[in-house]
Amino acid sequence: HLIAQTHSKQNRSALPLCPEQPPHLVGKMNIKPSITLQEVTNEESLRNLTYGGRYAPPDCQARERTAIIIPYRDRKEHLDIIVRHLHTVLQRQQLEYGIYVVEMALPTQFNRGLLANAGVRTARGISNYTCYVIHDVDSLMTDDRNLYRCGSQPIHFMTGSTKYKDDGIPYYGFHGGIVGFTPEQYKKVNGFSNLYFGWGSEDDDLGIRVQTSGMIYVRPKEEIGKYVALSHARDVGNQESPNSFGLVRNVPVRQMEDGVETIRFKRFALEYQQLYTWLLIGVKEDE
Ligand code: UD2
């Protein structure tokens, strides 16, 4: 198997670079919050995958190698839909990519930032990615010109969501949902904080990290960055993060001691499934 992989890598480096503008994009897609598994499934895109939900364009060298990292627990219906949607769209975008579903093991409270960091640590050990996209499980892009490539600044891919008033964003300075960092940028901000257990504010904390590291978030054009949110209730066991108010006030003080490079986690499972790579993550207690 490894030999086959090496060969295909060698062959790929002889391929021409994929065009700057992927030629098969369709632009605006008709996505509804009630989209069904059947509607979202494109069998051909699923046949193109290799183990762990990975893909590389067959006839050109991708301009980006993107790891999609989905912090996750107990939303199987959404997960089934989003991974199929992503496979269809990301192949049209001519990316080389892998999807990583990073699941929190019970009974630990959900911690989106810690899961993102654990996903990055794992993905970077598996392949030489050039872009990490941290992605909500319930948000579907509605325009495939919203390319999941990274840039010279971190990217906030969402200019609006059906989750919010007028399909916009909830407040100025909002950076939730979907963000993209090169490995260098992610290292510079030291990733997410690992301290936000429960719902909320880990995205604001990351926004402050971006600022204190001398960078700014950029967004795609307004009409391209719209998302459809699959509906859900606040999850049991994901109460508002109790310490978040205090934490967001002292980000610069702990930024370098609390993040992707200092995370302590247990990886209970790593499985190369057909549509994605699945990780089961727990928090490492002090010995
Ligand atoms: C907002 C942000 C999200 C995050 C969150 C606060 C948007 C579009 N998104 O989402 O990025 O900052 O606030 O933490 O504004 N999840 C599970 N299972 C759970 C709980 C969460 O899988 O039990 C994952 C899942 O990927 C979900 C994400 O965490 O999409 C965010 O959680 P949410 O959807 O409950 O929170 P929401 O919609 O307010």
Side-chain angles (χ1 to χ4, degrees), residues 70-75 110 112 135-139 158 161 163-164 174 176-177 198-203 232 234-236 238:
I70 306 180
Y72 172 80
R73 182 172 63 196
D74 194 22
R75 300 231 191 126
F110 194 74
R112 184 169 177 270
H135 210 296
D136 276 1
V137 78
D138 60 354
S139 298
M158 182 179 276
S161 167
K163 200 174 263 191
Y164 299 117
F174 164 77
W199 179 90
S201 302
E202 83 299 332
D203 50 344
H232 67 84
R234 176 72 62 84
D235 308 75
V236 180
N238 199 28

Side-chain angles (χ1 to χ4, degrees), residues 18-31 40 42 45 48 55 57 60 84-95 97 141-145 147 149:
C18 295
E20 173 61 31
Q21 284 303 322
H24 304 300
L25 298 181
V26 299
K28 196 106 215 120
M29 298 171 277
N30 180 21
I31 311 277
V40 85
N42 169 341
S45 72
N48 296 334
Y55 173 84
C60 60
R84 284 165 177 77
H85 181 61
L86 285 168
H87 285 308
T88 303
V89 169
L90 301 185
Q91 291 180 25
R92 282 207 299 267
Q93 295 188 351
Q94 293 189 319
L95 297 173
Y97 69 85
M141 77 157 82
T142 60
D143 192 314
D144 62 7
R145 291 171 293 175
L147 301 177
R149 291 185 191 159

Side-chain angles (χ1 to χ4, degrees), residues 224-284:
I224 289 178
K226 299 290 184 189
Y227 282 76
V228 157
L230 303 167
S231 51
H232 67 84
R234 176 72 62 84
D235 308 75
V236 180
N238 199 28
Q239 278 73 23
E240 195 156 343
S241 180
N243 307 322
S244 64
F245 187 63
L247 284 171
V248 284
R249 289 170 60 175
N250 69 4
V251 178
V253 179
R254 65 187 154 72
Q255 178 166 0
M256 285 306 142
E257 283 82 50
D258 163 30
V260 67
E261 298 306 331
T262 54
I263 179 180
R264 302 180 73 228
F265 67 101
K266 280 191 218 163
R267 196 165 58 212
F268 295 117
L270 166 60
E271 263 181 35
Y272 298 108
Q273 300 190 3
Q274 196 194 353
L275 301 193
Y276 52 81
T277 299
W278 175 69
L279 313 176
L280 186 63
I281 301 296
V283 176
K284 199 164 183 178

Side-chain angles (χ1 to χ4, degrees), residues 17-274:
L17 197 59
C18 295
E20 173 61 31
Q21 284 303 322
H24 304 300
L25 298 181
V26 299
K28 196 106 215 120
M29 298 171 277
N30 180 21
I31 311 277
K32 297 204 176 69
S34 57
I35 191 163
T36 63
L37 197 56
Q38 201 186 4
E39 284 163 343
V40 85
T41 303
N42 169 341
E43 291 295 345
E44 196 194 326
S45 72
L46 305 185
R47 276 196 298 274
N48 296 334
L49 300 175
T50 54
Y51 72 97
R54 292 174 65 182
Y55 173 84
D59 46 10
C60 60
Q61 258 190 81
R63 286 177 180 262
E64 196 83 81
R65 291 187 298 277
T66 300
I68 307 285
I69 293 167
I70 306 180
Y72 172 80
R73 182 172 63 196
D74 194 22
R75 300 231 191 126
K76 186 70 169 63
E77 250 176 68
H78 290 178
L79 184 64
D80 286 343
I81 289 179
I82 189 111
V83 294
R84 284 165 177 77
H85 181 61
L86 285 168
H87 285 308
T88 303
V89 169
L90 301 185
Q91 291 180 25
R92 282 207 299 267
Q93 295 188 351
Q94 293 189 319
L95 297 173
E96 183 171 337
Y97 69 85
I99 297 183
Y100 296 84
V101 174
V102 192
E103 180 161 350
M104 191 103 225
L106 291 169
T108 311
Q109 241 198 326
F110 194 74
N111 183 326
R112 184 169 177 270
L114 182 139
L115 291 177
N117 287 340
V120 164
R121 290 280 291 249
T122 305
R124 78 185 185 193
I126 290 177
S127 188
N128 183 19
Y129 291 106
T130 54
C131 183
Y132 305 133
V133 172
I134 318 301
H135 210 296
D136 276 1
V137 78
D138 60 354
S139 298
L140 271 58
M141 77 157 82
T142 60
D143 192 314
D144 62 7
R145 291 171 293 175
N146 194 0
L147 301 177
Y148 281 175
R149 291 185 191 159
C150 282
S152 59
Q153 298 292 329
I155 302 182
H156 180 224
F157 289 100
M158 182 179 276
T159 60
S161 167
T162 56
K163 200 174 263 191
Y164 299 117
K165 190 166 168 272
D166 301 329
D167 294 350
I169 55 173
Y171 53 91
Y172 181 81
F174 164 77
H175 297 113
I178 296 106
V179 291
F181 287 75
T182 65
E184 297 71 29
Q185 290 162 354
Y186 204 76
K187 191 167 183 181
K188 201 165 171 190
V189 300
N190 197 16
F192 278 90
S193 166
N194 301 303
L195 302 179
Y196 291 80
F197 289 90
W199 179 90
S201 302
E202 83 299 332
D203 50 344
D204 297 331
D205 183 299
L206 184 63
I208 298 171
R209 287 168 184 247
V210 167
Q211 266 182 15
T212 59
S213 308
M215 299 187 286
I216 48 161
Y217 267 125
V218 295
R219 292 205 183 102
K221 278 197 191 131
E222 177 72 24
E223 71 272 19
I224 289 178
K226 299 290 184 189
Y227 282 76
V228 157
L230 303 167
S231 51
H232 67 84
R234 176 72 62 84
D235 308 75
V236 180
N238 199 28
Q239 278 73 23
E240 195 156 343
S241 180
N243 307 322
S244 64
F245 187 63
L247 284 171
V248 284
R249 289 170 60 175
N250 69 4
V251 178
V253 179
R254 65 187 154 72
Q255 178 166 0
M256 285 306 142
E257 283 82 50
D258 163 30
V260 67
E261 298 306 331
T262 54
I263 179 180
R264 302 180 73 228
F265 67 101
K266 280 191 218 163
R267 196 165 58 212
F268 295 117
L270 166 60
E271 263 181 35
Y272 298 108
Q273 300 190 3
Q274 196 194 353

